Amino acid sequence: MHSHNHLRVAVRLREMELTDVKQVEELHLVLFPVRYPASFFEKLCSSPIISVVALIEGEIVGVATARLATDENCGTDGYIMTFGVHPKHQRSGVGSKLLLEICRLIQLRYGSTHAHLHVKADNTTAISFYTKHKFHVRSICRDHYFIDSRFHDALWLVLDLPQPIAPASASLFSGLTKYLCNCFSN
């Protein structure tokens, strides 16, 4: 039996807390070839950075982090700094839920109309995941990453978010969530 087909246990999403730093740091070591300093993980719990963790039975199995884009071409867009799900929980729906949540918070907190991210150009699995969720390629970034003593190209991917709304009522939240779910559905 293949363990990646459907969720068999409940996934809980919540914003990252300081007590999560060690688990998130360990998860990053499993997921990413880029190594981040300890200060990076400590900043993940401070505003205006948005950090969401996915938990299964109390264990952090996924993480998404975002900040306000600083590029003048991006305005108030959100930039997804890191995003990943532990390999044993990939293809189970955890990533889709986590992506939906980080994009919802980017739109809500930053008033963003786009979410951006970079992905290694040869990471076909991640590129397929993001394009399935309506991200499109904005450009190719030559030599964007320096990993294992060599440069790697990246794709700059962008997702169009709904127009910003004032958080006035639960019905607006509901509408935004339905919109994003429709964007992410096949």
Side-chain angles (χ1 to χ4, degrees), residues 1 6 10 16 19 21 30 32 46 53 65 73 80-81 88 104 147 158 160 186:
M1 178 178 279
H6 297 289
M16 186 177 159
T19 55
V21 167
V30 171
F32 306 115
S46 61
V53 292
T65 65
N73 299 323
I80 298 173
M81 299 184 297
K88 72 181 181 184
R104 184 186 73 82
I147 301 166
V158 180
D160 298 324
N186 288 333

Side-chain angles (χ1 to χ4, degrees), residues 22-112:
K22 186 171 172 29
Q23 271 192 79
V24 168
E25 196 168 354
E26 289 168 1
L27 184 59
H28 271 72
L29 290 172
V30 171
L31 295 174
F32 306 115
V34 176
R35 297 296 171 237
Y36 298 93
S39 60
F40 171 82
F41 297 99
E42 292 159 12
K43 290 177 186 168
L44 294 180
C45 296
S46 61
S47 184
I49 292 175
I50 301 168
S51 300
V52 178
V53 292
L55 298 101
I56 294 178
E57 296 174 349
E59 179 190 355
I60 295 175
V61 300
V63 62
T65 65
R67 62 172 168 75
L68 200 56
T70 53
D71 186 317
E72 63 277 357
N73 299 323
C74 296
T76 59
D77 290 348
Y79 180 75
I80 298 173
M81 299 184 297
T82 65
F83 180 92
V85 174
H86 193 284
K88 72 181 181 184
H89 294 285
Q90 290 175 0
R91 300 188 187 281
S92 67
V94 174
S96 294
K97 288 180 178 186
L98 191 58
L99 188 60
L100 174 65
E101 181 65 2
I102 197 75
C103 289
R104 184 186 73 82
L105 290 172
I106 285 169
Q107 198 282 333
L108 181 69
R109 301 256 175 91
Y110 302 151
S112 301

Side-chain angles (χ1 to χ4, degrees), residues 146-152:
F146 189 72
I147 301 166
D148 296 329
S149 302
R150 66 185 197 92
F151 287 100
H152 300 266

Side-chain angles (χ1 to χ4, degrees), residues 118-184:
H118 287 93
V119 61
K120 274 183 68 194
D122 62 358
N123 188 344
T124 55
T125 302
I127 293 164
S128 174
F129 171 80
Y130 292 123
T131 55
K132 179 183 111 180
H133 290 88
K134 310 294 190 243
F135 278 79
H136 59 274
V137 178
R138 166 128 341 143
S139 65
I140 297 171
C141 305
R142 300 284 176 215
D143 298 335
H144 182 77
Y145 294 109
F146 189 72
I147 301 166
D148 296 329
S149 302
R150 66 185 197 92
F151 287 100
H152 300 266
D153 294 344
L155 297 182
W156 181 17
L157 302 181
V158 180
L159 174 68
D160 298 324
L161 297 172
Q163 290 299 312
I165 53 171
S169 71
S171 66
L172 289 175
F173 261 163
S174 174
L176 173 61
T177 301
K178 285 178 187 167
Y179 175 86
L180 287 171
C181 286
N182 287 337
C183 282
F184 291 167

